[in-house]
Amino acid sequence: SESPEDRLKALEKLTILGTQAASALPAINEALQDPDTRVRLAAIEVIDRLILSGKGSIAPVAALLEDPEDEVRARAAAAIGWGDEKDQQQQYMEPLIKMLEDPSPAARLAAARAIQRVDATAKQPLPVLMQLLDDQDAAIRTEAAAGLVPFGAEAKEAVPVLVKIIAEEDHLAREQAALAIVAIGPDAALAARDTLIEIVDSCLNPSECLAVGQALALVGADAKEAVPALRQMIGRFPRVQTFGEEMNKICDQIESAQ
C-alpha cells in the first residue's frame, strides 16, 4: 500500500493473527525496510511475536541494528535477544557488543540485555548496566537494575546507586534494585539497611514488599526493628496467594538471626 497508515493497519492485523502471520513473512520482512519509522517498528513487533513462537527468524531484524532511529535499533536488539536460534544469535554478538557504545541509552540497554540472553556468561554488559542506573528514565533504571541480578557479587560497585534507587518513589525501580541488592549479597543488604527500613511502609505491591523483605532478611539481626512493619504488610494483600506465608518466613528469619 502507498499510505503508511494503510501499511500500519495491515501490520496491526497481522499482530492479531499471531502465528498465522508467518504466511505473510515476505511482506513483513519488506516492511522492516519501510521509510516510515512507525511501520518498521510495527514490523519488528510482528516478527518479535513470531520469533517467540518459533515461527520467525532474527536474520531480517539484524539489519536494523544500524537503523538511524534509536527506538528501532533498541527494538531490533531486543528481538535478537528473545530468539531461540543460538547459532544465528551468536553471529550478531559482535554488533550487539558494538551497540553497547550506542549514543542512545535505550539502545545500549537493549543490547546489554540481548547479550545476556544470548550468553549468560558474558561480562561486557556489566559496566553498561551500572552506568544506566543513573539514567533519567525510570524504566531504563529499572531494567538496568534487573540486568545486574545475574552478576551477583560482581556488581558490588553498583550498591551506592542501587540504594539511591531504593530511596526513590518509583516502585518498579525500587523492586528491581532491592532484588539486585539480594543478588549481590549480605554486605550490600547491610549497606542498604537504613534506606530499606525507611521505605518499608511505602511499598505498594506484593512483589515490591517481598523484594524489600528479602533484602532485609539478608541483613539479619540488625533488621529486627523492621519486623513489625513487615508483618503489617501481610494483611494488605489478602488475595495474593502465598504472600502472607512468604512474608512470615522472612520475618521469622530476621527474628531468629543472631
Side-chain angles (χ1 to χ4, degrees):
S1 172
E2 302 223 346
S3 163
E5 282 68 30
D6 288 341
R7 297 196 293 274
L8 277 172
K9 288 179 182 178
L11 288 166
E12 288 170 0
K13 291 179 180 179
L14 289 173
T15 302
I16 296 171
L17 285 175
T19 57
Q20 294 179 21
S23 60
L25 267 174
I28 300 168
N29 290 339
E30 184 178 345
L32 290 172
Q33 307 304 320
D34 196 280
D36 192 294
T37 301
R38 298 170 302 164
V39 174
R40 296 199 301 281
L41 287 170
I44 292 173
E45 182 176 353
V46 178
I47 289 189
D48 202 13
R49 296 188 181 205
L50 291 173
I51 289 172
L52 287 171
S53 63
K55 300 289 185 179
S57 172
I58 62 176
V61 181
L64 296 179
L65 292 175
E66 297 184 2
D67 193 274
E69 295 295 331
D70 296 351
E71 186 177 359
V72 174
R73 295 196 304 278
R75 292 283 298 278
I80 291 173
W82 286 118
D84 60 1
E85 303 164 287
K86 292 302 180 184
D87 291 341
Q88 281 200 34
Q89 286 174 307
Q90 287 293 338
Q91 293 179 27
Y92 303 116
M93 281 292 281
E94 186 173 339
L96 286 172
I97 291 171
K98 180 181 177 182
M99 191 183 282
L100 294 175
E101 300 178 2
D102 195 282
S104 163
R108 293 199 302 275
L109 176 62
R113 297 296 272 148
I115 290 169
Q116 286 183 294
R117 293 183 181 105
V118 175
D119 182 1
T121 66
K123 304 301 181 187
Q124 295 95 332
L126 180 56
V128 175
L129 292 169
M130 290 197 293
Q131 180 190 51
L132 291 171
L133 291 174
D134 276 322
D135 195 85
Q136 294 181 348
D137 189 330
I140 287 180
R141 295 197 301 276
T142 300
E143 186 68 13
L148 292 180
V149 171
F151 289 102
E154 293 180 85
K156 62 183 180 181
E157 292 181 15
V159 170
V161 186
L162 290 169
V163 173
K164 179 182 173 184
I165 293 174
I166 290 170
E168 295 175 0
E169 294 183 0
D170 188 286
H171 296 274
L172 291 175
R174 176 186 291 173
E175 176 184 338
Q176 294 304 323
L179 291 173
I181 288 288
V182 172
I184 294 169
D187 288 343
L190 189 59
R193 172 194 174 277
D194 292 347
T195 302
L196 289 164
I197 291 174
E198 284 176 14
I199 57 89
V200 164
D201 289 330
S202 64
C203 291
L204 286 184
N205 60 73
S207 57
E208 177 192 5
C209 294
L210 287 173
V212 170
Q214 288 164 8
L216 285 169
L218 280 184
V219 174
D222 287 336
K224 287 184 178 180
E225 66 183 87
V227 170
L230 290 172
R231 289 203 188 277
Q232 283 183 357
M233 289 180 177
I234 295 172
R236 285 160 54 183
F237 308 106
R239 296 184 179 180
V240 181
Q241 293 182 350
T242 75
F243 174 77
E245 181 181 344
E246 290 182 50
M247 187 57 76
N248 270 323
K249 286 181 180 178
I250 287 171
C251 292
D252 292 344
Q253 182 179 339
I254 295 172
E255 288 183 323
S256 64
Q258 300 298 320

